[in-house]
Amino acid sequence: MSQLPIYVQYLSAISTPIIALMVAMIAFAQWRTARQRMILDLFQRRMDLIDLVSRVASTIVIEGALRIEEVDGFLRATRGDKFLFGPKVTTYLSETYKRLVDLHATENVMARAQGEERKQLSEKYLAIRNEVIRFHETFHTLVVPYVRMNQKLRWVDQYL
């Protein structure tokens, strides 16, 4: 029976744990990459929704007159907000949608109103419009925590 040299026996004994450790490091690196990709995808979906909602709100404010297509566009843009943001953002977007509907209804009624009723509707219209104008400031304050990319580079990331 031939006996292998001692160094070959040691190498074969520690090669299995070394290979297992390397496989574990590769698996961890793949998990980390997948997690970072998920964070980036979630960030992108949130930014797409923010961009779409902001664009619709800007159009409404810039054009002055409110069209039902813009209100519908706002509703469509906010369809997935419950899955991407917390309750404060969802509630604010829902309230803004109600303001837009109210603004549209007030605009339509105001066109046919006369005298004191028209003055009251005009005041209501301006109050709602001012709330819609403040949309960007309030909305962006609410969504900042959700789009902040604040992952820290940890010691593990430096070596993988």
Side-chain angles (χ1 to χ4, degrees), residues 43-61 69-81 84-85 93 96 100 135-136 139-140 143 147:
F43 172 81
Q44 188 60 50
R45 290 188 66 198
R46 286 175 172 163
M47 285 305 296
D48 289 345
L49 188 135
I50 290 168
D51 184 45
L52 191 56
V53 168
S54 296
R55 196 173 327 126
V56 170
S58 293
T59 302
I60 291 167
V61 170
E69 295 84 22
E70 292 161 344
V71 176
D72 185 51
F74 188 89
L75 181 62
R76 288 175 192 258
T78 60
R79 218 176 7 204
D81 64 344
L84 299 173
F85 298 105
L93 288 173
T96 302
L100 293 175
F135 171 81
H136 291 290
F139 180 65
H140 289 277
V143 297
V147 293

Side-chain angles (χ1 to χ4, degrees), residues 3-105:
Q3 185 85 14
L4 292 174
I6 193 79
Y7 69 89
V8 173
Q9 291 177 12
Y10 283 130
L11 280 176
S12 87
I14 62 172
S15 66
T16 303
I18 289 174
I19 291 170
L21 184 62
M22 289 173 53
V23 167
M25 287 174 51
I26 291 169
F28 178 76
Q30 287 179 337
W31 169 81
R32 186 86 174 118
T33 302
R35 183 175 181 277
Q36 292 292 55
R37 178 66 188 172
M38 182 211 48
I39 290 170
L40 184 62
D41 288 345
L42 184 59
F43 172 81
Q44 188 60 50
R45 290 188 66 198
R46 286 175 172 163
M47 285 305 296
D48 289 345
L49 188 135
I50 290 168
D51 184 45
L52 191 56
V53 168
S54 296
R55 196 173 327 126
V56 170
S58 293
T59 302
I60 291 167
V61 170
I62 290 169
E63 290 184 2
L66 184 65
R67 294 190 314 258
I68 196 66
E69 295 84 22
E70 292 161 344
V71 176
D72 185 51
F74 188 89
L75 181 62
R76 288 175 192 258
T78 60
R79 218 176 7 204
D81 64 344
K82 294 168 198 67
F83 306 110
L84 299 173
F85 298 105
K88 286 183 181 179
V89 175
T90 302
T91 301
Y92 182 71
L93 288 173
S94 176
E95 289 170 358
T96 302
Y97 174 71
K98 289 174 186 170
R99 282 187 200 109
L100 293 175
V101 169
D102 198 21
L103 189 68
H104 183 67

Side-chain angles (χ1 to χ4, degrees), residues 104-115 117-119 121:
H104 183 67
T106 304
E107 200 174 60
N108 286 340
V109 173
M110 194 170 64
R112 289 175 267 135
Q114 305 243 341
E117 182 185 12
R118 183 174 178 85
K119 183 180 176 186
L121 287 170

